[in-house]
Amino acid sequence: MRTLKLTIAYDGTAYAGWQLQPGKPTVQGLLECALKKITGRRAPTLASGRTDAGVHALGQVVGVRTDCLLPPETLLKALNAHLPRDIAVLEAVDAPDGFHPIRDVLRKRYRYVIHDGSVRDVFCRRTAWHDARGRLDVEAMRRAAAPLVGRHDFRSFQSSGAPRKTTVRTVFELSIDRGRAGQGGGPSLSDRHDHTAALSAFSDSFILIDIAADGFLYNMVRAIVGTLAQVGRGRKPESWPGEALEAADRRRAGPTAPPQGLFLVHVDYAPGSNP
Amino acid sequence: MRTLKLTIAYDGTAYAGWQLQPGKPTVQGLLECALKKITGRRAPTLASGRTDAGVHALGQVVGVRTDCLLPPETLLKALNAHLPRDIAVLEAVDAPDGFHPIRDVLRKRYRYVIHDGSVRDVFCRRTAWHDARGRLDVEAMRRAAAPLVGRHDFRSFQSSGAPRKTTVRTVFELSIDRGRAGQGGGPSLSDRHDHTAALSAFSDSFILIDIAADGFLYNMVRAIVGTLAQVGRGRKPESWPGEALEAADRRRAGPTAPPQGLFLVHVDYAPGSNP
């Protein structure tokens, strides 16, 4: 048996999320089906984390336990030939001994894209949250976001239904930038990261919210975005997100933003876990 | 009766092209259906030109004859509320007297997007031609394209089935650029134009081919792209597109590139036709 480390991208629009669910199309279901066709037997997969229905990935990491002896590059090509066009394997390598795609995560990076133009963008309807209620105040959102950076109890930004041992997480970065016409705006975190930067930077009616942390609670990015958007609209004061954080109560923060604006951009592993 | 000038964008993936066709979903069909719901009676539309099945528009121009008295801005909002999410009206204005959306065209701008990365891009599968056969030589394509600029008989780059009075057209611009990571590469022709620049510029595995002309023959952009791609792949010499042009024979040029990479970017009208 060996463990392969796959880096995959997917357009989550058509899927009920990453995780296997009976009778529903999921990314894990399609990937395991392709693996079975290629290797002839079931090869269980484990992702760095689940993504919800409609959420996208530019660099999800998946561990695969298999006794298949194909070279990783051959397996990559075979998988891409068997997977639907909205899922792609970007990289396949042999994982180091004992690699665990969840336990070994050092940091994850998400991007959320908001479109606040008055008319919808026909090419970004699956990859951005269109809020036509008016232009958001990005400067106010940025100031409001500052207290969320650092090591905190993020209980106020967690949806119920997924109990965790601890709700303390460390947010390393939380940047909010408005796109600029003709330029891939926003700070570059990685090559893959630039995809949505470029995709959403064609006009200044796109806002890019980038969050890097050592881990995320269930719906944490979308709850933070939904809260910051209330500030951007002028419905809540800039102090509100920080106060909601301190309250450690989900009811004190804003609504959960919709899934289609969210991208899992990159997963960093501890040096020993990188092949 | 008045004439309205609409500027519309559409993702052509789901449509059998612009033009009305019985029993098939077309952009014109959906637009006229929305107009009828809003104005209460049939309002005939005429576009600057047809686009084929799967071809997109960032700035198609449509003339509408109607006796509806709604202000253009109100009509724009009503249309966007009635149209599906892959069609959007970007601008609605009263056209000047005698405006004719086909006759008055001064120049049209198209963009074609090729993706030549080894692995497909899951977010651009509807908006780029993925050619996984290897990296294209953009410098060679650029040199090969030079003879096509200017006033020529473009008969070699016209699909049959659409007889025209003359096959002479003037190509004002034909630029070929490879995207650069994190930057909206390519020369900027207009604000709308930047959409695909940005969309496809997230990595250097995207090639942007921009063509501006006083008019285009049927499938002309796609035939030019299909021909230049053969040069980019090293299958044909750089002199081949120029020779094909001179031969004035469709069989001497390359295959027609697929529709999903093509965008009608902008239509320019003579000063008198602009409201």
Side-chain angles (χ1 to χ4, degrees):
Chain A
M1 288 296 277
R2 74 210 262 218
T3 302
L4 286 159
K5 182 186 174 206
L6 306 180
T7 305
I8 69 170
Y10 45 87
D11 175 343
T13 309
Y15 299 103
W18 157 261
Q19 178 101 341
L20 272 180
Q21 286 184 61
K24 288 188 180 173
T26 67
V27 180
Q28 186 178 27
L30 274 287
L31 182 63
E32 293 198 352
C33 177
L35 281 162
K36 193 174 177 188
K37 275 185 196 153
I38 294 161
T39 66
R41 62 174 76 184
R42 204 173 160 267
T45 63
L46 187 64
S48 73
R50 307 176 189 182
T51 53
D52 275 333
V55 172
H56 317 291
L58 298 170
Q60 169 72 286
V61 173
V62 181
V64 181
R65 291 284 292 164
T66 178
D67 55 6
C68 161
L69 297 173
L70 290 172
E73 193 57 29
T74 307
L75 195 70
L76 180 147
K77 284 184 182 149
L79 279 170
N80 282 330
H82 281 83
L83 285 166
R85 291 173 65 217
D86 50 6
I87 305 174
V89 180
L90 307 177
E91 193 182 62
V93 291
D94 277 298
D97 282 345
F99 172 71
H100 191 285
I102 299 176
R103 188 196 58 209
D104 297 345
V105 169
L106 205 62
R107 112 171 32 195
K108 281 180 166 180
R109 297 158 177 188
Y110 278 95
R111 168 166 278 191
Y112 196 97
V113 183
I114 302 176
H115 176 222
D116 63 355
S118 58
V119 175
R120 64 176 164 262
D121 184 287
V122 297
F123 297 102
C124 296
R125 61 194 197 280
R126 299 183 185 87
T127 51
W129 174 25
H130 183 214
D131 184 341
R133 284 170 287 188
R135 204 167 161 91
L136 301 180
D137 182 344
V138 164
E139 294 295 329
M141 290 167 74
R142 209 176 274 148
R143 287 188 295 267
L148 306 185
V149 178
R151 187 167 172 80
H152 303 290
D153 183 343
F154 282 94
R155 185 177 307 216
S156 295
F157 299 97
Q158 175 187 235
S159 291
S160 57
R164 308 270 181 152
K165 277 182 202 160
T166 169
T167 47
V168 173
R169 295 291 184 276
T170 301
V171 169
F172 302 113
E173 181 196 334
L174 204 176
S175 67
I176 305 168
D177 291 280
R178 191 175 277 285
R180 280 162 293 175
Q183 190 186 330
S188 183
L189 291 172
S190 76
D191 279 349
R192 251 170 242 125
H193 177 89
D194 285 323
H195 172 84
T196 40
L199 195 148
S200 56
F202 77 94
S203 94
D204 68 349
S205 54
F206 282 83
I207 295 164
L208 316 176
I209 302 176
D210 291 303
I211 311 188
D214 59 355
F216 289 87
L217 305 173
Y218 184 51
N219 274 348
M220 180 167 146
V221 178
R222 290 165 57 190
I224 289 173
V225 169
T227 303
L228 294 176
Q230 294 281 62
V231 175
R233 274 179 216 122
R235 294 196 187 163
K236 293 284 184 184
E238 289 174 20
S239 59
W240 184 58
E243 288 160 12
L245 177 77
E246 280 180 31
D249 179 347
R250 180 67 187 88
R251 293 165 298 180
R252 295 287 296 277
T256 302
Q260 71 271 15
L262 186 60
F263 295 76
L264 171 55
V265 174
H266 194 73
V267 187
D268 288 330
Y269 286 95
S273 325
N274 287 318
Chain B
M1 288 296 275
R2 74 209 262 218
T3 302
L4 287 159
K5 182 185 173 205
L6 306 181
T7 305
I8 69 170
Y10 45 87
D11 175 341
T13 308
Y15 299 103
W18 158 261
Q19 179 101 340
L20 273 180
Q21 286 184 61
K24 288 188 179 174
T26 68
V27 180
Q28 186 178 27
L30 273 288
L31 183 62
E32 294 198 351
C33 177
L35 281 162
K36 193 174 176 188
K37 275 185 194 152
I38 295 160
T39 67
R41 61 175 76 186
R42 206 175 158 265
T45 63
L46 187 65
S48 73
R50 307 175 188 183
T51 53
D52 275 334
V55 173
H56 317 291
L58 298 170
Q60 170 71 287
V61 173
V62 181
V64 182
R65 293 283 292 163
T66 178
D67 55 6
C68 162
L69 297 173
L70 290 171
E73 193 57 32
T74 308
L75 194 70
L76 181 147
K77 284 184 181 147
L79 280 169
N80 282 331
H82 281 84
L83 286 166
R85 290 173 65 216
D86 49 7
I87 304 175
V89 180
L90 307 177
E91 192 181 61
V93 291
D94 276 299
D97 282 344
F99 171 71
H100 191 286
I102 299 175
R103 189 195 60 210
D104 297 346
V105 169
L106 205 64
R107 117 177 18 203
K108 281 180 165 179
R109 297 157 178 188
Y110 278 94
R111 168 165 278 189
Y112 197 97
V113 183
I114 302 176
H115 177 221
D116 64 355
S118 58
V119 174
R120 63 177 165 263
D121 183 287
V122 297
F123 297 102
C124 296
R125 62 194 196 279
R126 298 182 186 88
T127 51
W129 174 24
H130 183 214
D131 184 341
R133 285 169 286 186
R135 205 167 161 90
L136 300 180
D137 182 344
V138 164
E139 294 296 329
M141 290 168 73
R142 209 176 275 149
R143 288 188 294 267
L148 306 185
V149 177
R151 186 167 173 80
H152 303 290
D153 183 344
F154 282 94
R155 187 176 306 216
S156 295
F157 299 97
Q158 174 186 236
S159 291
S160 57
R164 308 270 181 151
K165 277 181 203 163
T166 169
T167 48
V168 173
R169 295 290 184 275
T170 301
V171 169
F172 302 113
E173 181 196 334
L174 205 176
S175 67
I176 305 169
D177 292 280
R178 191 175 276 285
R180 282 163 292 174
Q183 190 186 331
S188 183
L189 292 172
S190 77
D191 280 348
R192 252 169 242 125
H193 177 90
D194 285 322
H195 172 84
T196 40
L199 195 149
S200 55
F202 79 94
S203 94
D204 67 350
S205 54
F206 283 83
I207 295 164
L208 316 176
I209 301 176
D210 291 302
I211 311 188
D214 59 355
F216 289 88
L217 305 173
Y218 185 51
N219 274 348
M220 179 168 147
V221 178
R222 290 165 56 190
I224 289 174
V225 169
T227 303
L228 294 176
Q230 295 281 64
V231 175
R233 275 179 216 122
R235 296 195 186 162
K236 293 285 182 183
E238 290 174 20
S239 58
W240 185 59
E243 288 161 12
L245 177 76
E246 280 179 33
D249 179 347
R250 181 68 188 88
R251 293 164 299 181
R252 296 286 297 277
T256 301
Q260 70 272 17
L262 186 60
F263 296 76
L264 171 55
V265 173
H266 194 72
V267 187
D268 288 330
Y269 286 96
S273 326
N274 286 318

